[in-house]
Amino acid sequence: MSNPKIHRGVSKDEWLEKALHSLSSGGVASVSIEGMAKSLGINKSGFYWHFKNRDDLLRQLLNYWTHEVTEVITDNSDLLNLEPKVRLIKIAEMILDFELTRYEIAIRQWALQDKMAAQAAKKVNRIRLDFISNTLSELGFKGDDLDMRAMLFVCYQSLESPMFPEISRKRRRELINQRIDLITRPII
């Protein structure tokens, strides 16, 4: 008697990760149900266990991206218990260690062409800026000085890796403390 072949199901998160990878490698047009199913090695009918259709996938993809690259930091109670400067260092380390910016350019490119993606990118910007602004305000910064520092941190952390891929991870890690010192240093 032969054993029947057991197919493992593909989780919703696996579909979403595959969709992000497809988006990153070929833009939103490359996010196809058939292409992802083939890449995952399963029948495309498995897609419909998790999503109504491609539009539903794209909506959920933006929510997933928001959670996986932003809310994992901003909703992290352990981070909130750290001193503000240490918190900023830890955030920079988490972004580096977990490659949280690996889909940043793809999402931003999509946002240039799509209202739903643009709204998600705007929401993520606001969440990130509010979180970093609150942290910097704990260090005594306020007004334009606070806003400028928060924007610098968010922009740098969001785009360092995609813009400068030639810089090694080791070097990026070495520069974190210097960057945080610079952003948190009072203007004389």
Side-chain angles (χ1 to χ4, degrees):
M1 177 186 265
S2 66
N3 291 332
K5 186 174 182 180
I6 298 173
H7 276 290
R8 76 168 186 86
V10 174
S11 72
K12 185 180 206 176
D13 285 356
E14 288 173 298
W15 279 104
L16 292 166
E17 278 296 324
K18 182 54 68 178
L20 280 170
H21 180 74
S22 296
L23 177 71
S24 182
S25 60
V28 72
S30 71
V31 180
S32 76
I33 298 166
E34 189 170 311
M36 290 185 307
K38 184 177 179 179
S39 179
L40 290 166
I42 64 165
N43 188 308
K44 72 179 186 177
S45 63
F47 171 88
Y48 296 100
W49 281 97
H50 305 291
F51 309 99
K52 294 175 189 169
N53 52 39
R54 183 176 181 270
D55 288 339
D56 184 39
L57 166 73
L58 294 176
R59 273 189 299 281
Q60 291 192 46
L61 180 63
L62 291 167
N63 291 331
Y64 179 79
W65 172 72
T66 299
H67 176 73
E68 292 298 313
V69 302
T70 299
E71 293 170 342
V72 294
I73 290 175
T74 61
D75 292 347
N76 185 327
S77 59
D78 291 338
L79 283 175
L80 292 173
N81 293 327
L82 298 173
E83 294 296 322
K85 191 170 179 179
V86 174
R87 186 180 318 144
L88 293 171
I89 291 168
K90 184 64 175 168
I91 291 166
E93 290 173 346
M94 289 174 69
I95 291 167
L96 176 65
D97 293 344
F98 298 105
E99 299 178 356
L100 297 182
T101 62
R102 66 188 176 275
Y103 302 120
E104 198 74 24
I105 298 294
I107 294 285
R108 302 301 173 158
Q109 186 64 36
W110 179 21
L112 293 173
Q113 306 164 21
D114 181 270
K115 185 178 179 180
M116 179 177 61
Q119 289 172 338
K122 186 176 180 179
K123 175 184 175 183
V124 162
N125 290 346
R126 179 56 29 217
I127 292 168
R128 291 174 182 177
L129 282 171
D130 287 349
F131 188 77
I132 298 304
S133 292
N134 288 337
T135 299
L136 289 168
S137 70
E138 290 178 53
L139 293 170
F141 297 107
K142 56 187 172 198
D144 289 344
D145 193 30
L146 171 67
D147 293 342
M148 180 269 309
R149 290 168 193 269
M151 285 187 283
L152 280 172
F153 182 90
V154 169
C155 287
Y156 191 93
Q157 289 305 142
S158 299
L159 297 173
E160 175 196 38
S161 183
M163 288 204 48
F164 304 108
E166 69 279 4
I167 299 173
S168 71
R169 290 176 63 85
K170 180 182 177 195
R171 183 67 180 142
R172 288 180 204 285
R173 181 166 297 287
E174 292 170 353
L175 294 173
I176 288 173
N177 287 336
Q178 285 180 273
R179 185 170 54 254
I180 301 306
D181 284 344
L182 182 64
I183 288 175
T184 58
R185 185 178 305 143
I187 297 176
I188 301 173

